[in-house]
């Protein structure tokens, strides 16, 4: 049976950001939650689970598509405190974590039109995700990047500025 991610509780899943999203929004200085084996770079520097990206210093503009599950929002809290970068997560907008780490702290949220298709570590594109996704900006500069990408039609969806 093909592996898919129906929930956000499967920590073993290695689902990678579609590279066109990284191209539209990069370059990034650091991906603190990167696969050990990866078909492309997400940022100039990467931390993997072998380093434990949460235990490392974060520098520069961060790309964060964090591990799924309960720990997701610890990573978001770290990015909010860091204050530079973008996160890609499921748009489960009603959850406690989304309220505490995104609605209360983010500068902007971009809601994708349609569902994304994430990639396997081989680079192969997987099936359609079973939840909607959004991008979260934690600085005015990162909010501007979302605005530009939308204006240039590199991303399709709706941008909401929060502060
Ligand atoms: C949803 S995937 C996203 C991968 C990549 N950031 C991207 O945007 O394509 C989350 C990644 O976090 C990695 N990961 C899990 N625990 C980690 C940890 N403690 N430190 C660093 N990376 C970790 C996983 O191995 C997985 O590759």
């Amino acid at each position: 049976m093909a592996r898919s991610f129906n929930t956000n509780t499967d920590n073993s899943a290695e689902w990678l950001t579609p590279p066109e999203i990284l191209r539209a929004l990069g370059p990034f200085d650091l991906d603190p939650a990167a696969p050990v084996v990866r078909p492309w770079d997400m940022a100039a520097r990467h931390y993997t689970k072998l380093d434990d990206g949460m235990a490392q210093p974060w520098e520069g503009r961060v790309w964060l598509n964090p591990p799924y599950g309960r720990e997701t929002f610890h990573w978001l809290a770290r990015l909010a405190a860091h204050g530079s970068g973008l996160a890609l997560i499921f748009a489960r907008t009603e959850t406690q974590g989304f309220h505490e780490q995104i609605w209360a702290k983010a500068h902007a949220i971009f809601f994708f039109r349609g569902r994304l298709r994430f990639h396997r570590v081989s680079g192969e594109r997987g099936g359609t995700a079973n939840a909607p996704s959004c991008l979260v900006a934690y600085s005015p500069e990162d909010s501007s990047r979302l605005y530009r990408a939308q204006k240039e039609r590199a991303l399709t969806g709706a941008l909401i500025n929060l502060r």
Side-chain angles (χ1 to χ4, degrees):
M1 194 171 78
R3 286 173 69 205
S4 69
F5 57 114
N6 293 332
T7 72
N8 62 1
T9 57
D10 181 2
N11 279 322
S12 64
E14 292 278 342
W15 290 105
L16 310 190
T17 302
E20 61 272 17
I21 294 178
L22 295 167
R23 279 197 295 275
L25 299 168
F28 295 94
D29 299 307
L30 174 69
D31 181 344
V36 176
V37 175
R38 49 187 173 266
W40 46 73
D41 285 341
M42 291 85 197
R45 295 184 60 213
H46 304 84
Y47 297 134
T48 72
K49 58 188 173 193
L50 302 179
D51 311 302
D52 186 6
M54 280 292 274
Q56 303 294 332
W58 290 18
E59 279 160 13
R61 185 164 183 258
V62 167
W63 171 253
L64 181 66
N65 172 2
Y68 306 124
R70 287 197 198 96
E71 62 188 300
T72 294
F73 289 102
H74 296 302
W75 292 83
L76 269 288
R78 177 79 182 266
L79 182 61
H82 177 66
S84 175
L86 292 168
L88 172 62
I89 66 157
F90 290 129
R92 302 196 196 282
T93 56
E94 84 289 12
T95 59
Q96 183 181 345
F98 204 99
H99 272 268
E100 290 178 358
Q101 303 306 333
I102 299 176
W103 290 123
K105 297 181 180 175
H107 280 254
I109 311 175
F110 180 85
F111 292 96
F112 284 97
R113 178 171 180 161
R115 299 277 172 97
L116 298 181
R117 291 179 64 186
F118 291 85
H119 289 248
R120 300 169 194 279
V121 290
S122 63
E124 180 198 354
R125 204 151 80 120
T128 306
N130 289 316
S133 297
C134 64
L135 292 158
V136 184
Y138 283 105
S139 74
E141 294 74 23
D142 288 294
S143 302
S144 301
R145 291 301 296 274
L146 292 178
Y147 175 78
R148 270 210 328 267
Q150 184 189 32
K151 203 154 183 246
E152 292 163 0
R153 301 187 192 280
L155 299 178
T156 309
L159 179 63
I160 297 181
N161 284 303
L162 297 173
R163 34 192 65 81

